[in-house]
DNA sequence: AAAACTACTGACTGAACGTTCAGTCAGTAG
DNA sequence: CTACTGACTGAACGTTCAGTCAGTAGTTTT
């Protein structure tokens, strides 16, 4: 909010996120970030201890967004089936709207050497657990019939992430999976729910 | 096979694959590869034009393995349902047996700057197309009922890849999705086939 | 008005990097 | 013995990078 304090810092974070997501941790120099944000390298080191800390801050910010979506959609009362639907819809819409975030997360998962190691996976695990407990509720309510709720939750999470990943990665190649986010989200959720449903 | 000819070259390829998969293109120096394979840097440049070409060779080799599996399992005659089952089983088993390969492929997909750009995605697209035509057959035979065969194929491909990815990435974190490859492959295929089946 | 503090600059350093290259050496064919 | 090859070495190159530091300008405190 304050003009001088935090303004440059915020701009650095923003630019760093865009660059890291496109070229990866090693592919971006501190000087790149400084220049692109209209600052000096010294200022970057004034605000962030080192390059790793800056990267960590960017990832942490993105993760917070996703987690908030999971909590909001899965945590509200309602039928399991509806909560899952709204989770998939909003989660996919969020990531589709921020391609840089999705790319950044994929990168930070694969770059074991990169900080924070395993952080993204840990957060993903809590989202999967949240999904799992909703599926467990569905089983208890007799709406779902599935032998392993955790595996089912993982599968759903996999579907959501990979469909978005495919879209994000295809863009630079000029390909397209076709259909809007909403359409693909619905198709995917239907597929999953049919696979998981207590077939009447 | 021959002792002197190709032996050093093969060793370099092997070591490069292991290192690239763990630390990424930028995280590994040519000198690292030379030292780890017991050679000089000069020899690496004797066998490979440059670092990019070496990386490309490693990725290409891995892709060939996967494509061969897809062709073999999906190309043979038989019921669509059985071909899909055997594809999932063998594809997942192959990747689970070679964690380095899976990691390398994920990396090469995310590292747009890295060579060959988009190559892995293109190959994935052909596998998805192969899956799609099997699903189309299933629809024609009245075994499947699904509105978008391409999207369904993408979803299946997503499931396979992400479940394996999860396993591969979890390992260094000491977590585990539980169950053997076969069990998880079967659970996953059932989920998918039930979602896609012409519910009787 | 002096001192202290915050935000910031840009020149600089030492290490590490990809790549090149002159040269060694075992082997082979004539 | 000569001419030649293909595999291989290791030092050296130019460049890039993360991180440092002395210093400046503006504001706030004493």
């Amino acid at each position: 909010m304050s003009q001088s304090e935090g303004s440059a810092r915020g701009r650095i974070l923003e630019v760093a996120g865009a660059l890291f997501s496109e070229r990866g941790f090693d592919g971006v120099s501190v000087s790149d970030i400084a220049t692109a944000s209209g600052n000096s390298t010294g200022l970057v080191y004034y605000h962030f201890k080192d390059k790793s800390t800056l990267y960590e801050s960017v990832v942490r910010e993105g993760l917070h967004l996703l987690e908030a979506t999971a909590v909001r959609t899965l945590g509200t009362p309602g039928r399991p089936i509806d909560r899952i639907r709204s989770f998939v819809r909003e989660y996919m819409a969020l990531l589709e709207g921020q391609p840089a975030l999705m790319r950044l997360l994929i990168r930070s998962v694969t770059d074991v050497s990169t900080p924070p190691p395993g952080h993204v996976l840990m957060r993903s695990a809590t989202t999967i657990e949240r999904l799992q407990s909703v599926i467990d509720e569905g089983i208890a309510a007799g709406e779902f019939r599935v032998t392993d709720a955790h595996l089912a939750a993982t599968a759903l999470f996999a579907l959501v992430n990979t469909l978005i990943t495919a879209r994000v990665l295809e863009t630079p190649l000029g390909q397209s999976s076709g259909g809007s986010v909403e359409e693909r989200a619905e198709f995917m959720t239907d597929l999953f729910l049919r696979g998981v449903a207590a077939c009447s």
Side-chain angles (χ1 to χ4, degrees), chain A:
Chain A
M1 284 297 126
S2 53
Q3 278 168 326
S4 56
E5 172 207 310
S7 161
R9 202 190 118 102
R11 179 94 187 107
I12 289 170
L13 269 174
E14 188 183 325
V15 167
L19 291 182
F20 279 141
S21 83
E22 268 176 34
R23 298 190 242 145
F25 184 79
D26 293 325
V28 178
S29 71
V30 175
S31 156
D32 286 342
I33 297 168
T35 305
S37 66
N39 295 112
S40 64
T41 57
L43 184 60
V44 175
Y45 283 95
Y46 174 77
H47 283 297
F48 301 92
K49 186 177 150 283
D50 53 21
K51 194 187 175 186
S52 297
T53 306
L54 170 56
Y55 184 86
E56 200 171 329
S57 305
V58 173
V59 172
R60 217 174 280 273
E61 212 177 53
L63 281 176
H64 191 259
L65 263 179
L66 287 180
E67 190 142 343
T69 302
V71 169
R72 178 162 35 81
T73 54
L74 296 176
T76 53
R79 291 180 58 197
I81 224 176
D82 295 328
R83 281 190 277 165
I84 286 178
R85 266 189 202 287
S86 92
F87 165 77
V88 172
R89 206 182 308 114
E90 297 201 26
Y91 196 88
M92 285 181 77
L94 172 64
L95 285 176
E96 173 114 358
Q98 305 209 3
L101 175 55
M102 187 71 224
R103 255 202 291 262
L104 188 70
L105 294 180
I106 304 169
R107 276 187 189 283
S108 67
V109 163
T110 48
D111 287 359
V112 179
S113 63
T114 253
H119 195 92
V120 176
L121 283 181
M122 304 268 183
R123 294 294 192 111
S124 302
T126 68
T127 297
I128 290 178
E129 277 165 28
R130 252 184 269 275
L131 276 172
Q132 181 183 343
S133 65
V134 175
I135 292 175
D136 277 329
E137 278 183 51
I139 294 174
E143 292 184 352
F144 296 159
R145 182 194 303 165
V146 77
T147 54
D148 186 332
H150 178 71
L151 219 41
T154 306
L156 178 59
F157 194 66
L159 280 170
V160 172
N161 283 315
T162 319
L163 281 193
I164 280 295
T165 301
R167 171 64 78 100
V168 168
L169 295 177
E170 271 167 2
T171 310
L173 289 180
Q175 303 178 350
S176 169
S177 283
S180 67
V181 215
E182 293 80 16
E183 284 167 356
R184 289 182 304 128
E186 200 188 325
F187 176 89
M188 213 280 310
T189 322
D190 285 342
L191 181 79
F192 175 79
L193 290 177
R194 235 180 297 130
V196 135
C199 207
S200 59

